[in-house]
Amino acid sequence: MAHYSHPVELEPEVARQAIRRIRNTGAQIRMQAPLVRHVNDSPEVWSSLWRTGVRLGLIPYYMFVERDTGARNYFEVPLGRAFAICRQAFASVSGLSRSVQGPAMSAFPGKVQILGVIALHDMMDRGIIDALRRAGGLVPMIDPEEAILVCDFIQARDPAFVRVPFFAAFDPHTTWFDQLRPALGKERFHFEDEGDRERTFPLYTLTESLLN
């Protein structure tokens, strides 16, 4: 596994020679990195990184969301923007670079991937939404225009959760898994047991106070 955060890291001849020597042993090298504000928070940087890596024989693997530790306020990227950067970069490269997964968060329940941002009006016709409201089949508090984050688990502590989509309320300021809240009027996510939030929130608050 190789960590390359910017294509300039692949420019020096000594770096390319190291890659050749490792690959000459028969080993494969997969490349991954976090999305870091002020460093690589643009689709152009990522598409260039993946293209350059593929030309050198590397395999794009993960785009990670910056972890919620240390001096993250300066480096973190909101999840909605992280998805937009990843999608634009992904759309601009060939299939050889599309082995990459992300943006992903390595959180306690597993490795979570942001699949997209969508709203109810994107999934069904306005007439159907109005008919559901009249029939009482759509909770009045649900706004069809409200954006929703679509996520899933690439890996999970419970294998039953892998590749099962779940929906989180979209917040333009959310930067990490712990800040996600269920969408569409649900009280908790399908992978949460009753009382999970009450047990984990004090620990999260303590961590926040220690870091700040």
Side-chain angles (χ1 to χ4, degrees):
M1 186 65 62
H3 285 254
Y4 295 107
S5 300
H6 198 281
V8 297
E9 298 176 81
L10 294 171
E11 291 179 2
E13 178 55 31
V14 66
R16 298 188 175 202
Q17 185 179 46
I19 291 170
R20 287 195 297 269
R21 287 180 174 179
I22 293 172
R23 294 191 67 241
N24 285 341
T25 68
Q28 290 187 340
I29 306 175
R30 295 181 182 271
M31 58 190 298
Q32 62 183 29
L35 175 60
V36 184
R37 189 158 60 103
H38 307 296
V39 176
N40 59 13
D41 56 332
S42 78
E44 293 78 17
V45 169
W46 283 90
S47 59
S48 176
L49 175 64
W50 294 335
R51 287 194 196 99
T52 303
V54 167
R55 283 199 299 270
L56 296 174
L58 306 178
I59 303 170
Y61 193 37
Y62 279 118
M63 173 197 280
F64 283 114
V65 174
E66 179 72 9
R67 285 184 178 274
D68 61 336
T69 57
R72 68 186 186 282
N73 291 337
Y74 183 78
F75 297 110
E76 64 190 4
V77 177
L79 298 183
R81 183 161 179 256
F83 171 73
I85 291 171
C86 186
R87 186 193 64 77
Q88 291 172 38
F90 193 87
S92 67
V93 295
S94 73
L96 294 175
S97 296
R98 292 184 178 179
S99 53
V100 70
Q101 298 188 87
M105 296 175 281
S106 294
F108 181 78
K111 193 164 289 180
V112 179
Q113 179 174 220
I114 308 299
L115 297 176
V117 181
I118 198 167
L120 278 183
H121 71 77
D122 296 320
M123 295 184 280
M124 59 180 70
D125 183 77
R126 170 63 66 179
I128 296 176
I129 293 175
D130 293 340
L132 285 172
R133 282 197 185 282
R134 289 193 297 270
L138 192 64
V139 179
M141 70 178 64
I142 296 176
D143 179 4
E145 307 295 328
E146 183 180 354
I148 298 168
L149 278 178
V150 184
C151 314
D152 74 355
F153 283 98
I154 300 170
Q155 299 174 18
R157 291 178 181 271
D158 185 340
F161 298 149
V162 174
R163 294 304 189 192
V164 176
F166 64 92
F167 303 96
F170 179 80
D171 182 335
H173 305 295
T174 295
T175 57
W176 190 249
F177 173 78
D178 288 343
Q179 301 164 21
L180 295 178
R181 295 295 177 266
L184 304 175
K186 295 193 68 173
E187 293 184 0
R188 61 178 184 268
F189 294 114
H190 69 279
F191 51 84
E192 291 182 314
D193 292 326
E194 188 171 359
D196 272 359
R197 289 194 176 274
E198 290 73 15
R199 288 191 292 271
T200 58
F201 184 74
L203 178 60
Y204 175 75
T205 305
L206 174 61
T207 303
E208 288 290 294
S209 63
L210 289 173
L211 290 173
N212 294 332

